[in-house]
Amino acid sequence: MTKTYSGFVAIIGPTNAGKSTLLNQIMGQKVSIVSHKVQTTRTRLRAVKMVGDRQLIFVDTPGVFNPKRRLDRAMVAAAMDAVSDADAILLIMDAQKGVTETIRGLVEKIRDRANLFVALNKVDAVAKPNLLPIVAELSAMANWREIFMISALKNDGVTGMLGALADVMPESPYLFDPTDQPDVPDALYLAELTREKIYKYIHQELPYHINVVTERVDVDAENVLDIYQKIVVASDAHKKIVIGRGGEQLKQIGTAARHDIQNQWGVNARLHLFVRVEPDWENKAENYIDQGLEFKK
C-alpha cells in the first residue's frame, strides 16, 4: 500500500508581511483577502495543497500585532492557537523591515517547536548584501530547518519552499480530499471578498470597525446567484461614509465585489448590499463565531 502524508502548516507573521499573498499564490486562486492596510485577515483560513503524494494543509492566520480591542485580541489568539496544532510553522517576515521587535517576540513564542521555517518575503526589493545580516541574526535566534528567500507576489522561491515543507509532513491518511482547494465556508468566503473591497475603497480607519455578513444566497431558475449581505457599522456617521454621496461608494464596493465573486466562482451573480448600524457588534459572540474566532468575555 502506498504511503501517504498529511499535516498542518501554520503561516504566522506580522501584519502586512505577505501571508495572504503567499497563500493565494500557493493555491493559484484567492483564498485570503489582500490589502495595503494592516490587520486585514481576521480568521484562520485553511487551504489544502498537494505536493506529490504529500498533503499540506495551510492555515493562514491573522497578523500578529499589539492588540487593543476585543476583536484584536481574538485575532491574535487565533494566530497563536494555530501554532499549537501545527506540524510545521512557517514564519513570514518582510525582508524590507528586517528583524523587528514583533519578529523577536514571535520567535520567542515558537522557538522550542519542531519543524520551524522562516520565509524572508519581498527579497526582490532588497539588495542581496543587505539580506546577509538579517539571515545571520535569524539563524542565531532559533533552530530553523530552513530559511527561504521568496517573493510571494512574483512566485519566486515558492516551489522549493513547498517541497521542503512537504518533506516534514507526518505519515498519515489524507485529512482532506486530495485536491488543491480552500477549506472556507462559502458564506464567509463571500463576505471576505466584499470586505476586501471596503478596505480598497474606504481610505480611513473605518474598515477596522466594519463587519460583513452573508445572510443568504438564493439561486434562480437560470442559476444566477442572489447574494444578500449586510455591512455592519458602529454608527450613523460610518453608515454615511460606506454609502457615500448618492449611494456611489456602496455601488462601487458592490460592483467590484460582484465581479470578483463571478470571476472566482465562474458564476453569474447579483449582490445585494445593505448597511446596518449595530453600535455594539464587536461585543456580540455571534460575530466572532461566524469568523472562526473565540469570543472571550
Side-chain angles (χ1 to χ4, degrees), residues 77-115:
M80 299 318 299
D81 285 348
V83 169
S84 65
D85 299 328
D87 298 290
I89 299 170
L90 178 62
L91 171 64
I92 307 292
M93 57 177 286
D94 186 339
Q96 299 172 101
K97 296 179 180 177
V99 180
T100 63
E101 285 303 312
T102 300
I103 291 292
R104 292 188 183 94
L106 265 175
V107 174
E108 192 62 33
K109 289 183 172 71
I110 65 174
R111 61 185 302 171
D112 294 330
R113 294 295 305 273
N115 296 331

Side-chain angles (χ1 to χ4, degrees), residues 1-23:
M1 187 174 178
T2 304
K3 291 182 178 180
T4 57
Y5 303 82
S6 184
F8 289 87
V9 180
I11 304 176
I12 66 168
T15 57
N16 266 13
K19 299 182 304 299
S20 297
T21 300
L22 175 61
L23 190 60

Side-chain angles (χ1 to χ4, degrees), residues 35-104:
S35 169
H36 67 282
K37 297 177 182 290
V38 299
Q39 304 164 26
T40 51
T41 299
R42 288 182 180 171
T43 62
R44 282 189 293 177
L45 301 174
R46 292 187 301 197
V48 180
K49 178 70 176 178
M50 296 301 298
V51 180
D53 61 353
R54 294 172 181 255
Q55 185 178 75
L56 301 174
I57 305 153
F58 285 97
V59 184
D60 179 27
T61 65
V64 175
F65 55 98
N66 183 27
K68 294 182 175 64
R69 301 172 296 145
R70 170 178 271 160
L71 179 61
D72 296 342
R73 293 192 293 273
M75 288 160 59
V76 172
M80 299 318 299
D81 285 348
V83 169
S84 65
D85 299 328
D87 298 290
I89 299 170
L90 178 62
L91 171 64
I92 307 292
M93 57 177 286
D94 186 339
Q96 299 172 101
K97 296 179 180 177
V99 180
T100 63
E101 285 303 312
T102 300
I103 291 292
R104 292 188 183 94

Side-chain angles (χ1 to χ4, degrees), residues 95-156:
Q96 299 172 101
K97 296 179 180 177
V99 180
T100 63
E101 285 303 312
T102 300
I103 291 292
R104 292 188 183 94
L106 265 175
V107 174
E108 192 62 33
K109 289 183 172 71
I110 65 174
R111 61 185 302 171
D112 294 330
R113 294 295 305 273
N115 296 331
L116 290 180
F117 297 85
V118 60
L120 270 176
N121 190 26
K122 308 178 187 178
V123 294
D124 52 312
V126 180
K128 288 185 178 180
N130 295 337
L131 294 172
L132 297 178
I134 299 174
V135 172
E137 185 174 357
L138 283 169
S139 298
M141 293 170 69
N143 185 25
W144 308 102
R145 274 189 170 267
E146 198 163 342
I147 297 175
F148 306 108
M149 305 283 187
I150 70 167
S151 169
L153 188 63
K154 296 183 178 179
N155 202 26
D156 290 339

